[in-house]
Amino acid sequence: MSIIDLTSMGESQVNLRDEINERLSRLQDEISDYCYQCAKCTSGCEAHKLLELEPHKIVALLKRGLIDEMINSDLIWTCMSCFKCRERCPQKVAPVEVLFALKNMAVASGKQIPGNYTAMLQSVLSIGLLQDVKNITTRDNKSKNRSDLGLPEISKPTDPTKFQMMLSKLAVEKV
Amino acid sequence: MKSYVLYPGCVMPTEQYAYEMSIREVFPLLDVKLVDQKGFSCCGEPIKSVNQMLSLALSARNISLAEKEGLDIFAPCPMCHLALSESKRILDSDPAMKKKINNFLADEGLTYEGKASIVSILDLLYDIIGIEKIKKLAKKPLNELKVATHYGCHLIRPSEIGRPDDSENPQKMEKILEAIGTKPLDYPEKLDCCGGLLTANLPESALTKTGQKLQKVQEQGFDAFIDTCPWCHRQYDSKQIKAGETVAAKLEVPVLYLTQLLGLSFGISSDKLGLDLNLSPVDKLNLGGK
Ligand code: SF4
Ligand code: SF4
């Protein structure tokens, strides 16, 4: 199985997009009711000063249904998932969840996945982990691995084929 | 002695070995037995931006594996702990979703039941083991080191999911650090994010976040910076020099895992705690003493 299965525009992706669409419209309904644009989310946003993300504007754009505009923007990928916006919103709106849904939608619509996400995803699909075990270097430049350090063998999926079967279904199944 | 399945996640067991080593050394001394289990995968949290359903299923899968042992789960990585806790919360309150996820898990002969609790590093140290027990074991004087704590965003937010400490004024790390004879002090940047999750797509910005916080910590004269998250530690310790470059500062802040400092205080040798794996200048603290 390859990354294509998760990101292609194929028939199978329709269901995934439906699911994300549902999620987005649910968020849209809740938000139109509750968000009063106080911008408290933006005032504490970790990505605001450095990368100009304004979560209250993301919410406002969602309210107006400008989803395509957002999934085509790099801005949604500047969120660092600190959850401060969700924690601090006086109206229990969670801009971070809107951003997750938008990023999921961008991927499901075949937009390019930025940076290393593709490699991370591929690694999870093939070995079950974000990355394989590394040799690391000590402060005085000696190379060490898990067994040098007396650590047991790493825990990872024992039957990769079955594990991949589960994941491939997930990417296509409507849930 | 209470037993937990150790859920290691990805970052700790593939490169942040000092965290794993110190965890495996410290908890048995505190009468906690850690049980290893084969077959775990990523918790899914780091790829939530790509596919949230995938994260949910991966977490459910890991919980169901551990449930086979009939034990609760200890997830030392705050990101894993959040992913597993959130997944549990969704599946325990939404029978339709649970059914769907179990459908996927059936391929590997697994079933999510929802019996296991998910325990974080602070739940375990502060609420389950308790300060008194830690105090009793503390023997090596830590010279009132002036320490700054870094909880990591995922350990304290979102509180709606159930987090081990207060989202705006967490103090459990401070209480633990006081118990072993150090002097933790609050500072204005305490809740700032390390930026670690941006490593995937905006690595320079991630390092800038790291550098900005650490620079403030250095300016305020702290002796050491203490964390509990392998993602954060990778930023503050492993990448400290590069992080310094982003803010044009020469950073020389000793960064240690909470469990490493606990281990030192309990008299465990620095070798066993992986202290030579810290790339930040921990020698400055003169805590070595093999
Ligand atoms: S999402 Fe919440 S914090 Fe942000 S503007 Fe709306 S009401 Fe205010
Ligand atoms: S979760 Fe994202 S949008 Fe929300 S405050 Fe943090 S960086 Fe900003």
Side-chain angles (χ1 to χ4, degrees), chain A residues 23 46 77 82 84 87-88 103-104 116 128 130-131 134 139 146 155-157 166 169-170 175, chain B residues 13-15 17 20 37 40 42 48-49 52 157 159 168 191 193 200-201 209 275-276 278 283:
Chain A
R23 231 195 296 159
E46 292 279 353
W77 294 92
C82 73
K84 281 188 177 166
E87 191 67 38
R88 292 175 179 173
K103 285 178 278 185
N104 284 190
N116 236 346
L130 273 190
Q131 60 184 20
K134 290 186 175 180
R139 227 169 24 268
R146 287 184 64 85
S155 178
K156 60 179 171 186
M166 189 271 287
K169 268 209 272 172
L170 241 180
V175 270
Chain B
T14 57
E15 63 161 89
Y17 303 134
E20 187 173 342
Q37 166 118 24
F40 284 130
C42 173
K48 214 171 170 185
S49 292
Q52 220 166 348
R157 287 185 298 271
S159 51
E168 301 294 347
L191 299 186
C193 171
N201 57 315
K209 292 295 291 181
L275 213 67
D276 55 342
N278 298 46
D283 296 318

Side-chain angles (χ1 to χ4, degrees), chain B residues 140 264 268-271 275 282-283 285-290:
Chain B
K140 190 183 161 107
L264 288 169
I268 300 169
S269 79
S270 59
D271 279 6
L275 213 67
V282 293
D283 296 318
L285 300 174
N286 289 320
L287 294 170
K290 289 188 183 176

Side-chain angles (χ1 to χ4, degrees), chain A residues 34-42 55-56 59 85 88-95:
Chain A
Y34 296 121
C35 172
Y36 46 49
Q37 287 292 298
C38 67
K40 192 174 178 196
C41 49
T42 298
H56 75 289
V59 176
C85 55
R88 292 175 179 173
C89 172
Q91 292 293 91
K92 287 191 181 296
V93 176

Side-chain angles (χ1 to χ4, degrees), chain B residues 142-158:
Chain B
L142 294 175
N143 314 328
E144 303 223 320
L145 280 180
K146 193 174 148 195
V147 296
T149 59
H150 176 82
Y151 283 72
C153 297
H154 295 80
L155 196 56
I156 53 175
R157 287 185 298 271

Side-chain angles (χ1 to χ4, degrees), chain B residues 5-180:
Chain B
V5 168
L6 174 66
Y7 173 70
C10 297
V11 175
M12 179 178 85
T14 57
E15 63 161 89
Q16 289 296 319
Y17 303 134
Y19 198 23
E20 187 173 342
M21 290 166 79
S22 54
I23 283 169
R24 290 183 186 277
E25 288 292 329
V26 162
F27 284 104
L29 288 186
L30 293 162
D31 293 327
V32 168
K33 187 178 168 203
L34 301 176
V35 176
D36 287 307
Q37 166 118 24
K38 283 203 170 85
F40 284 130
S41 59
C42 173
C43 70
E45 189 70 27
I47 48 171
K48 214 171 170 185
S49 292
V50 176
N51 186 332
Q52 220 166 348
M53 280 309 304
L54 197 60
S55 305
L56 178 60
L58 283 168
S59 276
R61 178 187 175 278
N62 290 314
I63 299 174
S64 67
L65 261 173
E67 279 183 332
K68 289 207 296 195
E69 291 287 314
L71 295 171
D72 289 339
I73 303 165
F74 168 39
C77 168
M79 222 189 278
C80 299
H81 181 263
L82 176 62
L84 300 184
S85 305
E86 184 169 28
S87 168
K88 182 176 168 56
R89 188 171 180 262
I90 293 170
L91 297 178
D92 290 353
S93 64
D94 183 344
M97 184 63 90
K98 183 169 154 184
K99 211 171 142 204
K100 276 168 188 161
I101 293 288
N102 271 333
N103 228 350
F104 296 128
L105 300 186
D107 279 339
E108 287 189 276
L110 297 169
T111 319
Y112 172 87
E113 295 187 52
K115 286 185 302 200
S117 300
I118 323 290
V119 169
S120 73
I121 185 96
L122 287 187
D123 292 317
L124 197 49
L125 285 172
Y126 187 87
D127 296 292
I128 297 168
I129 293 165
I131 293 297
E132 285 315 309
K133 195 157 198 163
I134 292 173
K135 245 185 208 160
K136 268 189 212 140
L137 278 180
K139 47 180 174 210
K140 190 183 161 107
L142 294 175
N143 314 328
E144 303 223 320
L145 280 180
K146 193 174 148 195
V147 296
T149 59
H150 176 82
Y151 283 72
C153 297
H154 295 80
L155 196 56
I156 53 175
R157 287 185 298 271
S159 51
E160 219 185 318
I161 307 291
R163 304 278 75 211
D165 209 341
D166 189 86
S167 62
E168 301 294 347
N169 185 21
Q171 290 295 332
K172 289 183 182 174
M173 277 180 86
E174 277 73 7
K175 300 249 172 65
I176 294 166
L177 287 160
E178 270 164 20
I180 58 170

